[in-house]
Amino acid sequence: MRIDGRQPDELRPVSLEAGFIKHAEGSCLIKMGDTHMLVTATVEDRVPPFMKNTGKGWLTAEYSMLPRSGRQRNQRDSNRGPNGRSMEIQRLIGRAMRAVVDLDAMGERTITIDCDAILADGGTRTAAITGAYVATYQAMEWMIKQRMIKRNLITEPLAAISVGLVRGKELLDLCYEEDSTAQTDMNIVMTESGKFVEIQGTAEADPFTAETLLKMLTLSKKGILELIEMQKVALGIN
């Protein structure tokens, strides 16, 4: 039995509220158990210098944890300087979303995805990606209304989830207690068609086998497809 009573292949309770921030072109409040992420998408009529005069758009992300989102107070990134963990996670979020956005058809515009952890209990990066899809989809719909683009430029749905090997058992969607004691932990980003965007996996103790990897990938696919259905409900799409 897991610490919170879930089955090995069961997600934590999930809710996604699209349009949570009225001023943003797109936004989502995503809750996965006691991990709560606020994600916004902002559209700007500019691109980074390396993209100028290409006719293409850009998508980037920023990630941070509020000071008391965790068990101890975190210093704000603005006070402590560059944070290696935050930079690694925001690059992951950006890569994940760029994989399913037709940047060539966006024009020289930038979508910035801001992901802030309000409450952290494991899986903040994967929750951020799942919420980022909802926020970006909304931003695309806003761009259509503004006649910036003619269609939604997201090529297919995408979500992310954590999996791990805890006490010899493959588990889906790790909470903090499970993640902190896992023999192996992984973060999986996958599209609705079953294509992997990113697989981050580390053996914290003994190396894991190909059989264990396959079991964890199978678990992740189940969880991600469930999350994609929830994204569609939040967005009001089929």
Side-chain angles (χ1 to χ4, degrees):
M1 183 66 70
R2 301 176 71 170
I3 191 170
D4 51 11
R6 286 182 290 147
Q7 295 300 312
D9 64 348
E10 188 178 354
L11 295 169
R12 289 175 289 181
V14 180
S15 70
L16 296 100
E17 184 175 349
F20 187 76
I21 300 295
K22 73 174 185 177
H23 300 299
E25 288 82 347
S27 64
C28 179
L29 176 65
I30 177 169
K31 299 180 180 180
M32 299 187 68
D34 281 338
T35 288
H36 300 177
M37 297 291 305
L38 179 59
V39 185
T40 61
T42 301
V43 179
E44 296 176 287
D45 270 320
R46 62 177 183 83
V47 289
F50 68 90
M51 295 291 294
K52 284 186 176 180
N53 302 317
T54 64
K56 300 178 182 180
W58 186 243
L59 186 148
T60 187
E62 295 190 13
Y63 167 97
S64 67
M65 296 178 65
L66 297 185
R68 280 318 308 264
S69 58
R71 287 164 169 75
Q72 299 172 341
R73 185 183 185 277
N74 303 306
Q75 276 192 304
R76 296 182 187 274
D77 289 351
S78 58
N79 291 335
R80 65 182 172 185
N83 180 311
R85 178 180 179 274
S86 294
M87 291 178 67
E88 183 260 326
I89 292 174
Q90 64 194 35
R91 287 170 181 161
L92 168 64
I93 298 165
R95 286 195 304 271
M97 289 309 306
R98 287 194 297 271
V100 293
V101 172
D102 183 1
L103 297 173
D104 290 347
M106 203 165 84
E108 293 196 10
R109 302 180 178 93
T110 296
I111 296 178
T112 301
I113 303 169
D114 288 292
C115 306
D116 293 286
I118 301 170
L119 188 63
D121 185 42
T124 57
R125 72 184 68 195
T126 53
I129 291 168
T130 301
Y133 170 81
V134 174
T136 304
Y137 189 99
Q138 278 200 314
M140 291 287 182
E141 292 297 298
W142 180 88
M143 292 172 74
I144 293 171
K145 291 178 181 177
Q146 301 301 313
R147 299 184 179 181
M148 294 178 173
I149 54 177
K150 294 181 179 180
R151 59 181 173 85
N152 197 303
L153 302 180
I154 294 181
T155 56
E156 69 170 312
L158 164 144
I161 199 65
S162 65
V163 289
L165 187 67
V166 183
R167 296 185 297 277
K169 184 67 177 177
E170 296 84 5
L171 302 179
L172 177 69
D173 190 17
L174 306 184
C175 66
Y176 174 81
E177 287 81 1
E178 292 169 337
D179 182 67
S180 62
T181 60
Q183 298 156 264
T184 298
D185 63 89
M186 303 185 74
N187 298 298
I188 312 293
V189 187
M190 193 188 80
T191 67
E192 185 177 32
S193 64
K195 296 176 182 177
F196 293 103
V197 176
E198 190 134 359
I199 300 173
Q200 297 181 333
T202 304
E204 301 290 351
D206 295 331
F208 55 91
T209 65
E211 181 184 6
T212 295
L213 174 61
L214 181 59
K215 288 180 179 178
M216 289 193 291
L217 292 178
T218 301
L219 273 181
S220 70
K221 183 175 182 178
K222 176 183 182 294
I224 285 171
L225 291 179
E226 290 176 6
L227 289 170
I228 286 173
E229 289 305 309
M230 297 178 200
Q231 289 172 330
K232 291 179 181 179
V233 171
L235 289 165
I237 58 177
N238 295 326

